[in-house]
Amino acid sequence: MLSVIVFLPLVAAAALVALPRLGDRLARWAWVAVAAVDLALIVILWARYDTPPAGGLAFAQQVDWIPGVNSSYHIGVDGLSLPLVAMTAVIFLACAVYALRERHRPRGHAALFLFLQTVSLGLFVAADLILFFVFFDLSIVGMYFVIAGWGHGNRAHSALKFFLYTFLGSLALLVGFIGLYVAAEPHTFDMPTLAAATPLAARPLAGGLVLAAILLGLAVKTPTVPFHTWLPPAHTDAPAVGSAVLAGVLLKMGTYGFVRIAMPMLPQAWRAWAWVIIAVGVVSVIYGALVALAQTNLKRMVAYTSVNHMGYIVLAVGVAGLVAGDTMQARTVAVTGAVTQMVSHGLITAALFLLAGVLRERAGTDDMHDYGGLAAPAPVFATLFAVGAFAALGLPAFSGFIAEFQIFTGSIAAAPATAVAVLGILITAALFLRALQRVFTGETRGKSIGFTDLRAGERWSIGALLLLSLVIGVLPRPLLQVIEPAARTVVGLLGR
Amino acid sequence: MMRPALLLPEMLLAAGALAALIGGSFVARDRQWFIRAFTIAVLVATIVAAAIQLREPATSAFDDSFAVDTATGFARILAATGTLLILAIAADEISGSPRESETYALLLFATVGAVLLAGANDLLVLAVGFLLASIPLYALIGLAATAAGAEAAMKTYLMGALFGILLLLGVTILSGLAGTTGYTELAERLPDAPRAVATVAVVALIAGLMFKAGGVPAHFWVPDAAQGATATAATFLTTVPKIGALVAVYRLATVLPTSTSWPIVVAAIAVASMTLGNLAAYWQSDPRRLLGWSTVSQVGFALVPVVAVDRSNLALPSLLVYLAGYTVTNIAAFAVSAALPQHRDLTDYRGLAARRGGLAAALLVALLGLVGTPPTAVFVGKLTTAAAAWDGGYAWLAVVVFVNTVISLFYYLRWIVPAYRDAALASSGGDHSAPPPEHPARRWSARLAVTGAALSLVVGVAAGLLWNVAAGI
């Protein structure tokens, strides 16, 4: 069943490419239909999900792939991956609905995004390092073509920068994977086996180097300061749906790697370097927020707030490495918060990027100075944007609050010094309020004049994402019930 | 023992080459396709014979001078398959030309030479294989009959002569030191030989083989030949001889004592090849020349597992898997260029995706495959070769492999990017040159490009099966 969920979009993409007679209109709707079916399947999967025993996976499947190097097609879900799988399907469905008005080569567009959906889902369910890497690398190739083919502005340059940066990161990751493989006895790429064996436990130097390679790869993808410089141009020049998928799904591949690979497989090295990771997280939080404050371009601003939001996750997983007897509970809360933040940031930021895309589509610019008093001609747009902004700055009743509250509760309890990162929330609040004020209030002027309000497809796609964030914010229990056992397992593994 | 039946594939190839050469004289110019069909039959028969042979346990023929084992069997199948695929390019390019049947004969001769190199278990057989693989190449390059082709043939000949002598020098010294040319005795006697002299001989031998592999320090002819020769010859000489030469280096490495410091020599050549090939490919504007340099860097990657040959049991299978992946992927990339012979500048590929989606997709898969993007075959090769090196204690070499992979991405993208750019957009966006004139693509080469790209994906996904064959399981 899991394999069907993963590969259904790929099959649809191949069909779209292979049948050139299919009209553009049919191609757009086919994409929506496939994304909806995939989401429905995941809902069924979630309904049938029972928390697996610690270290185990639900709905696991394992088929030999390259037995000579002990690499297999091994997939499964647990509390860390299931929420991300569901979030991925939601975001892709929202993008499919939003893109119903795409005019530029819609068939190729749909096929490319379906391909990306398979890649993203595959990455989150992979339980083999090589399988993980295959999807990790393919996500880069797919996103490169999204930016280069459907972007605007200096897209060729941005796409190339994105490709080179993240490709470098992915190869660092691969070096780390080979290090784990060679260190394990017998050699294997299987994730659960490696997590159980912790092959480099007795060799701090080698363990540190392998962790450094893996962290470099994941930090580029996440991205954290100082590896974030590819992110703003890529987001600015990507099409709206591309930005939404890039921020909503692809960035999570980095943070997911921390909890799935780095922490369980290299616990000793992780503990040794926990303070460095925390420092990178705090710097990302503050720096991302400050730079976002200085932006006048809306997309760039949201892009930098992503650096800020990813910083909270890095902070939380770093804190999890500060093993001490009495903080087990606090660290579990922090990790739960980190996973919740991945889901929450995916939903909210995807919505914000889709909204920014509306601005560019209508008026050809996303510079905030070009707008003013937009609330009068476009009330629905203004409402949804305000909701998105409040959700992003962590207002209670939205998913962001649940996530960040847990992150800070856990982090400050385990390491009081991390309280300095709360400053990031303050700055983000300021910058979102300022953006709201500049774009929506006051006299209607500039590009705001004659601005068409949201159309049905845009309302439904963006509205659904924000509604889901609200639901998680009000009723977090079902989600947290899935995440918490897995977070406890990870924290337990770190304590070995 | 003689046991000539063990050499059935080689005999088929050699006899086929002779028959094609003589038969070509008796067949009218417009019926030369008959010789092509005959060549195809010979290659298919060779593959079948080699595949049957591969199932038997490892042995050797002619008094232990020719090894018949997994490596030889794999190289036989790979070399014959490569030549078979390349015939599709020939079908477009030289069909009905005055030198058609001679080309087929030369291709078959060079294939025998490559296979002999791969199986050589005796220094003298190695020398024979070297000559047999080299001499047809000079003629193949010269057949282009253009100024660039003549220059490339001359350069190749001079390099071949120089490195052939080096190889023979190495053979002479080693046989003088050990009093034998057979590998089995060499392995026993060389550890007692004077270290400095043995090291010199090893360097000379490996450098000589690098001429066939097209690696540093004997790589200078590769870009010129890839650019100046016909597409058929260019594809062949960057693919099939490498298979033979690299397996020969592997076999040599298994008998040399570590005291000759051959691992360092091979590692240095590997690093130099991949780095130099990558850097030189950076600003090439002719796609064939770019591919020529890319093959130099690929030799470097393929040499990596050889370094760890006596320390990791991943070494041989990973080398063979790499060679298989490289063969299909490199042929696919050359086939794209052969299908569009007028496109001799990277900018000519502008808008290819809109005009010929299939060909552009094949180009994308082939070039990203050469980078080592999963799930293509070269990715599995790169992964396992790096793992083998690390497993053998050469972690730094694995890191160098991936650093070079990042470097290589850029120049492959220089070719992919124009192909996927809108021709209309590109010409309106400040670039005022006219869109490239429309030429029909050559049919068989285009089909080969798509087939090769598909094979590279299939081999990547089904790598487990291939690995089992390569590991002799």
PDB file of all heavy atoms in Angstrom, chain A residues 65 68 133 137-138 144-145 156 160 167 171 174-175 187, chain B residues 364 371 374 379 383 390-391 402 406 413 417 421 461 464 467:
ATOM      1  N   TRP A  65      17.637  -5.041  -3.213  1.00  0.00           N
ATOM      2  CA  TRP A  65      17.916  -4.188  -4.366  1.00  0.00           C
ATOM      3  C   TRP A  65      19.331  -4.482  -4.866  1.00  0.00           C
ATOM      4  O   TRP A  65      19.517  -5.031  -5.937  1.00  0.00           O
ATOM      5  CB  TRP A  65      17.738  -2.713  -3.993  1.00  0.00           C
ATOM      6  CG  TRP A  65      17.973  -1.794  -5.129  1.00  0.00           C
ATOM      7  CD1 TRP A  65      17.828  -2.083  -6.456  1.00  0.00           C
ATOM      8  CD2 TRP A  65      18.424  -0.440  -5.072  1.00  0.00           C
ATOM      9  NE1 TRP A  65      18.141  -0.985  -7.216  1.00  0.00           N
ATOM     10  CE2 TRP A  65      18.515   0.036  -6.393  1.00  0.00           C
ATOM     11  CE3 TRP A  65      18.758   0.425  -4.030  1.00  0.00           C
ATOM     12  CZ2 TRP A  65      18.931   1.333  -6.697  1.00  0.00           C
ATOM     13  CZ3 TRP A  65      19.154   1.715  -4.333  1.00  0.00           C
ATOM     14  CH2 TRP A  65      19.238   2.156  -5.658  1.00  0.00           C
ATOM     15  N   GLY A  68      24.586  -7.195  -2.921  1.00  0.00           N
ATOM     16  CA  GLY A  68      26.042  -7.208  -2.783  1.00  0.00           C
ATOM     17  C   GLY A  68      26.546  -6.169  -1.802  1.00  0.00           C
ATOM     18  O   GLY A  68      27.568  -6.366  -1.146  1.00  0.00           O
ATOM     19  N   PHE A 133      18.991   8.532  -0.311  1.00  0.00           N
ATOM     20  CA  PHE A 133      19.833   9.402  -1.131  1.00  0.00           C
ATOM     21  C   PHE A 133      19.290   9.540  -2.546  1.00  0.00           C
ATOM     22  O   PHE A 133      19.342  10.618  -3.142  1.00  0.00           O
ATOM     23  CB  PHE A 133      21.265   8.862  -1.169  1.00  0.00           C
ATOM     24  CG  PHE A 133      22.156   9.718  -2.015  1.00  0.00           C
ATOM     25  CD1 PHE A 133      22.666  10.901  -1.516  1.00  0.00           C
ATOM     26  CD2 PHE A 133      22.441   9.382  -3.323  1.00  0.00           C
ATOM     27  CE1 PHE A 133      23.456  11.722  -2.292  1.00  0.00           C
ATOM     28  CE2 PHE A 133      23.229  10.202  -4.110  1.00  0.00           C
ATOM     29  CZ  PHE A 133      23.740  11.363  -3.581  1.00  0.00           C
ATOM     30  N   ASP A 137      18.528  13.239  -4.010  1.00  0.00           N
ATOM     31  CA  ASP A 137      19.168  13.794  -5.193  1.00  0.00           C
ATOM     32  C   ASP A 137      18.142  14.129  -6.277  1.00  0.00           C
ATOM     33  O   ASP A 137      18.240  15.159  -6.935  1.00  0.00           O
ATOM     34  CB  ASP A 137      20.188  12.782  -5.733  1.00  0.00           C
ATOM     35  CG  ASP A 137      21.530  13.439  -5.967  1.00  0.00           C
ATOM     36  OD1 ASP A 137      21.807  14.447  -5.313  1.00  0.00           O
ATOM     37  OD2 ASP A 137      22.288  12.933  -6.808  1.00  0.00           O
ATOM     38  N   LEU A 138      17.174  13.235  -6.464  1.00  0.00           N
ATOM     39  CA  LEU A 138      16.185  13.479  -7.515  1.00  0.00           C
ATOM     40  C   LEU A 138      15.337  14.712  -7.196  1.00  0.00           C
ATOM     41  O   LEU A 138      14.885  15.411  -8.100  1.00  0.00           O
ATOM     42  CB  LEU A 138      15.295  12.252  -7.702  1.00  0.00           C
ATOM     43  CG  LEU A 138      15.993  11.090  -8.387  1.00  0.00           C
ATOM     44  CD1 LEU A 138      15.055   9.909  -8.500  1.00  0.00           C
ATOM     45  CD2 LEU A 138      16.467  11.489  -9.779  1.00  0.00           C
ATOM     46  N   TYR A 144      15.236  21.858  -9.756  1.00  0.00           N
ATOM     47  CA  TYR A 144      16.015  22.650 -10.712  1.00  0.00           C
ATOM     48  C   TYR A 144      15.179  22.943 -11.957  1.00  0.00           C
ATOM     49  O   TYR A 144      15.124  24.080 -12.435  1.00  0.00           O
ATOM     50  CB  TYR A 144      17.288  21.894 -11.090  1.00  0.00           C
ATOM     51  CG  TYR A 144      18.028  22.536 -12.242  1.00  0.00           C
ATOM     52  CD1 TYR A 144      18.845  23.632 -12.036  1.00  0.00           C
ATOM     53  CD2 TYR A 144      17.887  22.052 -13.539  1.00  0.00           C
ATOM     54  CE1 TYR A 144      19.505  24.237 -13.072  1.00  0.00           C
ATOM     55  CE2 TYR A 144      18.545  22.651 -14.584  1.00  0.00           C
ATOM     56  CZ  TYR A 144      19.354  23.737 -14.358  1.00  0.00           C
ATOM     57  OH  TYR A 144      20.003  24.342 -15.394  1.00  0.00           O
ATOM     58  N   PHE A 145      14.516  21.920 -12.462  1.00  0.00           N
ATOM     59  CA  PHE A 145      13.729  22.131 -13.683  1.00  0.00           C
ATOM     60  C   PHE A 145      12.498  22.989 -13.417  1.00  0.00           C
ATOM     61  O   PHE A 145      12.062  23.729 -14.293  1.00  0.00           O
ATOM     62  CB  PHE A 145      13.356  20.796 -14.321  1.00  0.00           C
ATOM     63  CG  PHE A 145      14.468  20.241 -15.140  1.00  0.00           C
ATOM     64  CD1 PHE A 145      15.310  19.277 -14.625  1.00  0.00           C
ATOM     65  CD2 PHE A 145      14.711  20.731 -16.401  1.00  0.00           C
ATOM     66  CE1 PHE A 145      16.365  18.795 -15.366  1.00  0.00           C
ATOM     67  CE2 PHE A 145      15.771  20.260 -17.151  1.00  0.00           C
ATOM     68  CZ  PHE A 145      16.598  19.289 -16.633  1.00  0.00           C
ATOM     69  N   ALA A 156      17.626  31.326 -14.516  1.00  0.00           N
ATOM     70  CA  ALA A 156      18.672  30.365 -14.872  1.00  0.00           C
ATOM     71  C   ALA A 156      19.780  30.402 -13.826  1.00  0.00           C
ATOM     72  O   ALA A 156      20.270  29.369 -13.378  1.00  0.00           O
ATOM     73  CB  ALA A 156      19.226  30.691 -16.253  1.00  0.00           C
ATOM     74  N   LEU A 160      20.692  27.425 -11.146  1.00  0.00           N
ATOM     75  CA  LEU A 160      22.024  26.826 -11.158  1.00  0.00           C
ATOM     76  C   LEU A 160      22.648  26.887  -9.762  1.00  0.00           C
ATOM     77  O   LEU A 160      23.241  25.914  -9.285  1.00  0.00           O
ATOM     78  CB  LEU A 160      22.903  27.566 -12.166  1.00  0.00           C
ATOM     79  CG  LEU A 160      24.266  26.922 -12.399  1.00  0.00           C
ATOM     80  CD1 LEU A 160      24.083  25.562 -13.036  1.00  0.00           C
ATOM     81  CD2 LEU A 160      25.131  27.792 -13.288  1.00  0.00           C
ATOM     82  N   PHE A 167      23.516  20.133  -4.535  1.00  0.00           N
ATOM     83  CA  PHE A 167      24.190  18.924  -5.026  1.00  0.00           C
ATOM     84  C   PHE A 167      25.460  18.678  -4.219  1.00  0.00           C
ATOM     85  O   PHE A 167      25.765  17.551  -3.836  1.00  0.00           O
ATOM     86  CB  PHE A 167      24.506  19.081  -6.506  1.00  0.00           C
ATOM     87  CG  PHE A 167      24.879  17.812  -7.196  1.00  0.00           C
ATOM     88  CD1 PHE A 167      23.904  16.874  -7.487  1.00  0.00           C
ATOM     89  CD2 PHE A 167      26.179  17.536  -7.556  1.00  0.00           C
ATOM     90  CE1 PHE A 167      24.236  15.693  -8.125  1.00  0.00           C
ATOM     91  CE2 PHE A 167      26.508  16.355  -8.188  1.00  0.00           C
ATOM     92  CZ  PHE A 167      25.538  15.435  -8.471  1.00  0.00           C
ATOM     93  N   LEU A 171      26.223  15.326  -1.948  1.00  0.00           N
ATOM     94  CA  LEU A 171      27.384  14.444  -2.038  1.00  0.00           C
ATOM     95  C   LEU A 171      28.109  14.337  -0.703  1.00  0.00           C
ATOM     96  O   LEU A 171      28.629  13.267  -0.349  1.00  0.00           O
ATOM     97  CB  LEU A 171      28.321  14.906  -3.145  1.00  0.00           C
ATOM     98  CG  LEU A 171      27.705  14.687  -4.527  1.00  0.00           C
ATOM     99  CD1 LEU A 171      28.620  15.178  -5.611  1.00  0.00           C
ATOM    100  CD2 LEU A 171      27.375  13.224  -4.757  1.00  0.00           C
ATOM    101  N   LEU A 174      26.333  11.770   0.979  1.00  0.00           N
ATOM    102  CA  LEU A 174      26.672  10.431   0.488  1.00  0.00           C
ATOM    103  C   LEU A 174      27.992   9.951   1.088  1.00  0.00           C
ATOM    104  O   LEU A 174      28.134   8.770   1.437  1.00  0.00           O
ATOM    105  CB  LEU A 174      26.735  10.447  -1.041  1.00  0.00           C
ATOM    106  CG  LEU A 174      26.877   9.090  -1.701  1.00  0.00           C
ATOM    107  CD1 LEU A 174      25.741   8.171  -1.319  1.00  0.00           C
ATOM    108  CD2 LEU A 174      26.934   9.226  -3.217  1.00  0.00           C
ATOM    109  N   VAL A 175      28.953  10.852   1.203  1.00  0.00           N
ATOM    110  CA  VAL A 175      30.227  10.480   1.832  1.00  0.00           C
ATOM    111  C   VAL A 175      29.960   9.984   3.253  1.00  0.00           C
ATOM    112  O   VAL A 175      30.486   8.950   3.674  1.00  0.00           O
ATOM    113  CB  VAL A 175      31.191  11.686   1.834  1.00  0.00           C
ATOM    114  CG1 VAL A 175      32.402  11.380   2.703  1.00  0.00           C
ATOM    115  CG2 VAL A 175      31.634  12.023   0.432  1.00  0.00           C
ATOM    116  N   HIS A 187      28.780  -4.792   6.748  1.00  0.00           N
ATOM    117  CA  HIS A 187      28.458  -3.560   6.041  1.00  0.00           C
ATOM    118  C   HIS A 187      26.986  -3.542   5.628  1.00  0.00           C
ATOM    119  O   HIS A 187      26.493  -4.500   5.044  1.00  0.00           O
ATOM    120  CB  HIS A 187      29.304  -3.447   4.769  1.00  0.00           C
ATOM    121  CG  HIS A 187      30.763  -3.382   5.044  1.00  0.00           C
ATOM    122  ND1 HIS A 187      31.287  -3.139   6.281  1.00  0.00           N
ATOM    123  CD2 HIS A 187      31.831  -3.513   4.218  1.00  0.00           C
ATOM    124  CE1 HIS A 187      32.602  -3.143   6.218  1.00  0.00           C
ATOM    125  NE2 HIS A 187      32.963  -3.374   4.979  1.00  0.00           N
TER     126      HIS A 187
ATOM    127  N   LEU B 364      19.448  14.325 -21.283  1.00  0.00           N
ATOM    128  CA  LEU B 364      19.354  14.629 -19.840  1.00  0.00           C
ATOM    129  C   LEU B 364      19.754  13.416 -19.011  1.00  0.00           C
ATOM    130  O   LEU B 364      20.588  13.511 -18.103  1.00  0.00           O
ATOM    131  CB  LEU B 364      17.921  15.049 -19.520  1.00  0.00           C
ATOM    132  CG  LEU B 364      17.621  15.299 -18.057  1.00  0.00           C
ATOM    133  CD1 LEU B 364      18.283  16.582 -17.613  1.00  0.00           C
ATOM    134  CD2 LEU B 364      16.126  15.389 -17.816  1.00  0.00           C
ATOM    135  N   VAL B 371      27.210  12.267 -14.515  1.00  0.00           N
ATOM    136  CA  VAL B 371      27.504  12.942 -13.242  1.00  0.00           C
ATOM    137  C   VAL B 371      27.459  11.921 -12.107  1.00  0.00           C
ATOM    138  O   VAL B 371      28.243  11.987 -11.164  1.00  0.00           O
ATOM    139  CB  VAL B 371      26.478  14.058 -12.959  1.00  0.00           C
ATOM    140  CG1 VAL B 371      26.739  14.687 -11.605  1.00  0.00           C
ATOM    141  CG2 VAL B 371      26.534  15.125 -14.027  1.00  0.00           C
ATOM    142  N   PRO B 374      21.478   9.423  -9.075  1.00  0.00           N
ATOM    143  CA  PRO B 374      20.644   8.241  -8.993  1.00  0.00           C
ATOM    144  C   PRO B 374      19.365   8.447  -9.775  1.00  0.00           C
ATOM    145  O   PRO B 374      18.976   9.610  -9.960  1.00  0.00           O
ATOM    146  CB  PRO B 374      20.356   8.131  -7.495  1.00  0.00           C
ATOM    147  CG  PRO B 374      20.512   9.507  -6.969  1.00  0.00           C
ATOM    148  CD  PRO B 374      21.553  10.157  -7.806  1.00  0.00           C
ATOM    149  N   PHE B 379      25.602   5.933 -11.127  1.00  0.00           N
ATOM    150  CA  PHE B 379      25.470   6.226  -9.693  1.00  0.00           C
ATOM    151  C   PHE B 379      25.828   4.996  -8.867  1.00  0.00           C
ATOM    152  O   PHE B 379      26.618   5.079  -7.917  1.00  0.00           O
ATOM    153  CB  PHE B 379      24.051   6.678  -9.347  1.00  0.00           C
ATOM    154  CG  PHE B 379      23.754   6.598  -7.874  1.00  0.00           C
ATOM    155  CD1 PHE B 379      24.380   7.455  -6.995  1.00  0.00           C
ATOM    156  CD2 PHE B 379      22.890   5.637  -7.371  1.00  0.00           C
ATOM    157  CE1 PHE B 379      24.138   7.373  -5.629  1.00  0.00           C
ATOM    158  CE2 PHE B 379      22.649   5.550  -6.013  1.00  0.00           C
ATOM    159  CZ  PHE B 379      23.269   6.409  -5.144  1.00  0.00           C
ATOM    160  N   LEU B 383      28.927   4.899  -6.358  1.00  0.00           N
ATOM    161  CA  LEU B 383      28.693   4.585  -4.952  1.00  0.00           C
ATOM    162  C   LEU B 383      29.531   3.397  -4.510  1.00  0.00           C
ATOM    163  O   LEU B 383      30.243   3.447  -3.492  1.00  0.00           O
ATOM    164  CB  LEU B 383      27.208   4.285  -4.751  1.00  0.00           C
ATOM    165  CG  LEU B 383      26.823   3.681  -3.421  1.00  0.00           C
ATOM    166  CD1 LEU B 383      26.902   4.737  -2.345  1.00  0.00           C
ATOM    167  CD2 LEU B 383      25.424   3.102  -3.469  1.00  0.00           C
ATOM    168  N   TRP B 390      36.964   3.139   0.243  1.00  0.00           N
ATOM    169  CA  TRP B 390      36.916   3.434   1.693  1.00  0.00           C
ATOM    170  C   TRP B 390      37.110   2.153   2.497  1.00  0.00           C
ATOM    171  O   TRP B 390      37.861   2.099   3.462  1.00  0.00           O
ATOM    172  CB  TRP B 390      35.576   4.090   2.018  1.00  0.00           C
ATOM    173  CG  TRP B 390      35.512   4.723   3.369  1.00  0.00           C
ATOM    174  CD1 TRP B 390      36.063   4.261   4.539  1.00  0.00           C
ATOM    175  CD2 TRP B 390      34.881   5.961   3.698  1.00  0.00           C
ATOM    176  NE1 TRP B 390      35.794   5.125   5.565  1.00  0.00           N
ATOM    177  CE2 TRP B 390      35.072   6.175   5.094  1.00  0.00           C
ATOM    178  CE3 TRP B 390      34.149   6.903   2.969  1.00  0.00           C
ATOM    179  CZ2 TRP B 390      34.570   7.291   5.755  1.00  0.00           C
ATOM    180  CZ3 TRP B 390      33.639   8.006   3.638  1.00  0.00           C
ATOM    181  CH2 TRP B 390      33.853   8.200   5.009  1.00  0.00           C
ATOM    182  N   ASP B 391      36.438   1.090   2.045  1.00  0.00           N
ATOM    183  CA  ASP B 391      36.547  -0.199   2.701  1.00  0.00           C
ATOM    184  C   ASP B 391      38.003  -0.668   2.701  1.00  0.00           C
ATOM    185  O   ASP B 391      38.459  -1.317   3.638  1.00  0.00           O
ATOM    186  CB  ASP B 391      35.648  -1.196   1.958  1.00  0.00           C
ATOM    187  CG  ASP B 391      35.414  -2.452   2.770  1.00  0.00           C
ATOM    188  OD1 ASP B 391      35.489  -2.370   4.009  1.00  0.00           O
ATOM    189  OD2 ASP B 391      35.170  -3.508   2.165  1.00  0.00           O
ATOM    190  N   PHE B 402      33.912  12.346  -4.761  1.00  0.00           N
ATOM    191  CA  PHE B 402      32.682  13.140  -4.697  1.00  0.00           C
ATOM    192  C   PHE B 402      32.954  14.627  -4.900  1.00  0.00           C
ATOM    193  O   PHE B 402      32.120  15.331  -5.457  1.00  0.00           O
ATOM    194  CB  PHE B 402      31.941  12.843  -3.395  1.00  0.00           C
ATOM    195  CG  PHE B 402      31.379  11.462  -3.417  1.00  0.00           C
ATOM    196  CD1 PHE B 402      31.818  10.480  -2.573  1.00  0.00           C
ATOM    197  CD2 PHE B 402      30.416  11.141  -4.364  1.00  0.00           C
ATOM    198  CE1 PHE B 402      31.317   9.193  -2.648  1.00  0.00           C
ATOM    199  CE2 PHE B 402      29.916   9.854  -4.438  1.00  0.00           C
ATOM    200  CZ  PHE B 402      30.372   8.883  -3.581  1.00  0.00           C
ATOM    201  N   VAL B 406      31.088  16.891  -7.924  1.00  0.00           N
ATOM    202  CA  VAL B 406      30.482  18.226  -7.869  1.00  0.00           C
ATOM    203  C   VAL B 406      31.057  19.099  -8.975  1.00  0.00           C
ATOM    204  O   VAL B 406      30.330  19.802  -9.687  1.00  0.00           O
ATOM    205  CB  VAL B 406      30.742  18.888  -6.501  1.00  0.00           C
ATOM    206  CG1 VAL B 406      30.191  20.299  -6.495  1.00  0.00           C
ATOM    207  CG2 VAL B 406      30.103  18.086  -5.407  1.00  0.00           C
ATOM    208  N   LEU B 413      25.976  20.471 -17.086  1.00  0.00           N
ATOM    209  CA  LEU B 413      24.825  21.388 -17.111  1.00  0.00           C
ATOM    210  C   LEU B 413      24.947  22.403 -18.239  1.00  0.00           C
ATOM    211  O   LEU B 413      23.941  22.846 -18.781  1.00  0.00           O
ATOM    212  CB  LEU B 413      24.718  22.120 -15.773  1.00  0.00           C
ATOM    213  CG  LEU B 413      24.035  21.367 -14.644  1.00  0.00           C
ATOM    214  CD1 LEU B 413      23.987  22.226 -13.401  1.00  0.00           C
ATOM    215  CD2 LEU B 413      22.626  20.978 -15.039  1.00  0.00           C
ATOM    216  N   VAL B 417      21.445  22.735 -20.061  1.00  0.00           N
ATOM    217  CA  VAL B 417      20.651  23.956 -19.889  1.00  0.00           C
ATOM    218  C   VAL B 417      20.130  24.515 -21.213  1.00  0.00           C
ATOM    219  O   VAL B 417      18.928  24.757 -21.339  1.00  0.00           O
ATOM    220  CB  VAL B 417      21.450  25.012 -19.092  1.00  0.00           C
ATOM    221  CG1 VAL B 417      20.766  26.358 -19.150  1.00  0.00           C
ATOM    222  CG2 VAL B 417      21.588  24.558 -17.650  1.00  0.00           C
ATOM    223  N   ARG B 421      16.095  25.135 -22.640  1.00  0.00           N
ATOM    224  CA  ARG B 421      15.650  26.522 -22.633  1.00  0.00           C
ATOM    225  C   ARG B 421      14.738  26.735 -23.835  1.00  0.00           C
ATOM    226  O   ARG B 421      14.937  26.172 -24.890  1.00  0.00           O
ATOM    227  CB  ARG B 421      16.866  27.432 -22.719  1.00  0.00           C
ATOM    228  CG  ARG B 421      16.488  28.876 -22.575  1.00  0.00           C
ATOM    229  CD  ARG B 421      17.701  29.695 -22.302  1.00  0.00           C
ATOM    230  NE  ARG B 421      18.242  29.428 -20.982  1.00  0.00           N
ATOM    231  CZ  ARG B 421      19.379  29.968 -20.545  1.00  0.00           C
ATOM    232  NH1 ARG B 421      20.075  30.742 -21.319  1.00  0.00           N
ATOM    233  NH2 ARG B 421      19.802  29.701 -19.338  1.00  0.00           N
ATOM    234  N   VAL B 461      18.423   0.569 -11.801  1.00  0.00           N
ATOM    235  CA  VAL B 461      17.374   0.063 -10.926  1.00  0.00           C
ATOM    236  C   VAL B 461      17.577  -1.436 -10.661  1.00  0.00           C
ATOM    237  O   VAL B 461      17.344  -1.919  -9.563  1.00  0.00           O
ATOM    238  CB  VAL B 461      15.991   0.345 -11.549  1.00  0.00           C
ATOM    239  CG1 VAL B 461      14.898  -0.337 -10.750  1.00  0.00           C
ATOM    240  CG2 VAL B 461      15.737   1.847 -11.587  1.00  0.00           C
ATOM    241  N   GLY B 464      21.115  -4.861  -8.663  1.00  0.00           N
ATOM    242  CA  GLY B 464      21.349  -6.044  -7.846  1.00  0.00           C
ATOM    243  C   GLY B 464      21.693  -7.266  -8.677  1.00  0.00           C
ATOM    244  O   GLY B 464      22.622  -8.011  -8.364  1.00  0.00           O
ATOM    245  N   TRP B 467      25.118  -6.910 -10.201  1.00  0.00           N
ATOM    246  CA  TRP B 467      26.147  -7.096  -9.177  1.00  0.00           C
ATOM    247  C   TRP B 467      26.391  -8.577  -8.929  1.00  0.00           C
ATOM    248  O   TRP B 467      27.531  -9.019  -8.797  1.00  0.00           O
ATOM    249  CB  TRP B 467      25.715  -6.399  -7.884  1.00  0.00           C
ATOM    250  CG  TRP B 467      26.730  -6.509  -6.808  1.00  0.00           C
ATOM    251  CD1 TRP B 467      26.935  -7.560  -5.981  1.00  0.00           C
ATOM    252  CD2 TRP B 467      27.726  -5.540  -6.485  1.00  0.00           C
ATOM    253  NE1 TRP B 467      27.987  -7.300  -5.136  1.00  0.00           N
ATOM    254  CE2 TRP B 467      28.489  -6.066  -5.422  1.00  0.00           C
ATOM    255  CE3 TRP B 467      28.044  -4.267  -6.975  1.00  0.00           C
ATOM    256  CZ2 TRP B 467      29.552  -5.367  -4.859  1.00  0.00           C
ATOM    257  CZ3 TRP B 467      29.090  -3.578  -6.392  1.00  0.00           C
ATOM    258  CH2 TRP B 467      29.834  -4.125  -5.350  1.00  0.00           C
TER     259      TRP B 467
END
